Amino acid sequence: MALSLILSHPFITAGFTYVLYLLGLVIYRLYFHPLVKFPGPKYEAISRWHEFYYEVVKKGKFTFKIQELHKRYGLSPSQPVHLSTEGDVGSR
């Protein structure tokens, strides 16, 4: 019954498909993305809205937030980090 309702209305089908896509994207970014081994807040791994928030709402504070996160999670911007999406995740 529910499946026939979803398939019979194109807008409901499109909305349902979009929600499934977003759910799959969140699962991929949290568990299967090559950069998942690097420490950091999970909400920042899920989307890029935090960058918009700090740049637009907080009026250009994204750079300072990145510096704070580097201090908190032990990565220094002065240390070169090689990030690669092919093969091994990265090395220092």
Side-chain angles (χ1 to χ4, degrees), residues 21-73:
Y21 166 76
L22 290 177
L23 182 63
L25 185 63
V26 166
I27 291 171
Y28 170 75
R29 287 181 176 175
L30 286 177
Y31 299 106
F32 301 110
H33 193 275
L35 300 178
V36 77
K37 296 177 184 174
F38 287 93
K42 296 300 180 192
Y43 69 88
E44 290 188 7
I46 292 173
S47 86
R48 301 285 180 241
W49 281 102
H50 64 281
E51 184 175 353
F52 170 81
Y53 174 75
Y54 284 103
E55 285 295 333
V56 177
V57 177
K58 294 279 195 165
K59 299 189 183 357
K61 302 290 185 192
F62 185 65
T63 303
F64 302 111
K65 181 64 174 177
I66 292 295
Q67 289 174 352
E68 175 190 326
L69 291 173
H70 278 115
K71 289 177 187 175
R72 182 184 303 164
Y73 292 103

